[in-house]
Amino acid sequence: MAMRPLIFLAMALLAGIALEGGADGAGECGKSSADRMALRMAPCISAADDPESTPTGSCCSAVHTIGKSPSCLCAVMLSGNAKMAGIKPEVAITIPKRCNMADRPVGYKCGDYTLP
């Protein structure tokens, strides 16, 4: 399991490099793509795999920062990099609550999932 975060980071970094010349316009995460923003969520890899785990402080910090834009947080959780890393969206969607994010957008629809 210790290798999984390294594999995720390597895949995300390669995808980020490949997407470097991507769209100039703003998306859900501003000028950064959701795949690129997923790199910031690397500390959450364990929390996104185990719904009973307590997210680390660095994970919660990333979630609080990215979560200022619910559409960005949603796009990151459903991004190609998250899928390649084997992230379970039904578990990842619970991280803001597990981080005690008081201003999380409860009820926000994220694809087939709803933020608790």
Side-chain angles (χ1 to χ4, degrees):
M1 185 61 111
M3 288 297 294
R4 190 166 177 206
L6 294 175
I7 292 168
F8 172 72
L9 284 174
M11 288 185 332
L13 183 59
L14 289 173
I17 291 169
L19 295 171
E20 184 71 32
D24 292 330
E28 294 91 348
C29 299
K31 291 187 177 185
S32 294
S33 70
D35 281 319
R36 172 153 283 173
M37 293 299 284
L39 291 170
R40 295 183 186 180
M41 298 294 288
C44 297
I45 195 82
S46 294
D49 192 45
D50 179 6
E52 301 300 318
S53 71
T54 301
T56 64
S58 56
C59 169
C60 290
S61 178
V63 168
H64 282 281
T65 300
I66 294 171
K68 291 177 184 175
S69 168
S71 61
C72 178
L73 184 61
C74 179
V76 167
M77 290 182 186
L78 299 176
S79 70
N81 281 347
K83 288 177 189 170
M84 284 192 308
I87 299 299
K88 300 173 188 171
E90 65 275 14
V91 176
I93 203 82
T94 67
I95 294 173
K97 182 177 182 179
R98 290 188 282 147
C99 284
N100 297 315
M101 190 174 158
D103 58 346
R104 71 185 184 279
V106 175
Y108 186 85
K109 289 293 289 174
C110 186
D112 293 335
Y113 309 97
T114 304
L115 275 150

